[in-house]
Amino acid sequence: MSEIRVGALKHAVSLIGNTTKETGMDANVELLFETPRWLEFLWSPRPMTGVSANASSTNTDIAYTGLTWEWTPWSNLILDFSFGFAIHNGKLKYDAAQAFPEDAGRHREFGCRWLFRETLEAGWRFANRHAATVMWSHYSHGGLCDDKNEGLDNVGIRYGYRF
């Protein structure tokens, strides 16, 4: 493990046209690892894994894994992009035969259990080991498994400690 990042994310923000179904805050924990030699041909991304847990027991929680590319274009400024896959405990879709589902309109319909995950993150590294960042994450199946694909966008702040 090379770094741990923890933070608070605003759950289900509406940045690119998504509805604001589900609300609240997510606690986020992510572990990043050293780049394995065999990934150097992809510009040395770091493998990562993490979890975002919503403060409400009825909203979507997500576990994810993937690769993170970090760039330091100037001094201590850091810019990250990550791509990977996620699994969630949210709704897939509502049963069309049920006339009035109890929680209709309050939960997103994801369409399938596995989703793609992309993030953009920017921040400042200080005292060599510490970082403060802002992050946007997006979850979606990209139209690959069902007609339901409401997706999910989260935005928040994180603290990172590099070992």
Side-chain angles (χ1 to χ4, degrees):
M1 183 169 64
S2 66
E3 186 173 356
I4 184 169
R5 294 182 183 175
V6 297
L9 309 175
K10 174 69 176 114
H11 185 83
V13 298
S14 182
L15 290 179
I16 55 174
N18 290 337
T19 63
T20 55
K21 293 177 187 175
E22 301 192 12
T23 59
M25 297 296 291
D26 289 355
N28 176 259
V29 176
E30 183 173 290
L31 304 175
L32 292 107
F33 301 91
E34 294 292 336
T35 301
R37 193 172 202 80
W38 61 273
L39 281 176
E40 289 177 358
F41 79 99
L42 288 174
W43 303 284
S44 300
R46 294 191 293 166
M48 57 75 179
T49 189
V51 81
S52 284
N54 191 271
S56 169
S57 63
T58 61
N59 287 341
T60 305
D61 301 314
I62 297 174
Y64 58 88
T65 189
L67 299 173
T68 297
W69 288 263
E70 185 174 295
W71 180 44
T72 307
W74 174 73
S75 186
N76 293 331
L77 176 67
I78 53 174
L79 302 174
D80 282 4
F81 165 76
S82 69
F83 178 80
F85 301 95
I87 187 168
H88 65 90
N89 65 352
K91 287 273 187 195
L92 299 182
K93 62 182 171 180
Y94 288 99
D95 181 2
Q98 188 176 359
F100 300 102
E102 182 179 312
D103 55 355
R106 292 195 309 252
H107 297 284
R108 294 175 177 283
E109 296 178 77
F110 289 102
C112 58
R113 193 63 56 203
W114 291 91
L115 304 171
F116 295 110
R117 176 182 186 265
E118 306 86 35
T119 68
L120 294 174
E121 190 165 10
W124 193 259
R125 189 156 310 279
F126 57 96
N128 293 326
R129 295 185 180 273
H130 308 274
T133 62
V134 293
M135 182 187 77
W136 165 74
S137 59
H138 176 72
Y139 301 90
S140 168
H141 66 65
L144 295 179
C145 70
D146 195 297
D147 62 336
K148 298 296 181 186
N149 184 23
E150 289 190 279
L152 179 68
D153 291 292
N154 295 334
V155 173
I157 57 171
R158 300 201 306 174
Y159 164 77
Y161 181 82
R162 194 169 267 200
F163 298 100

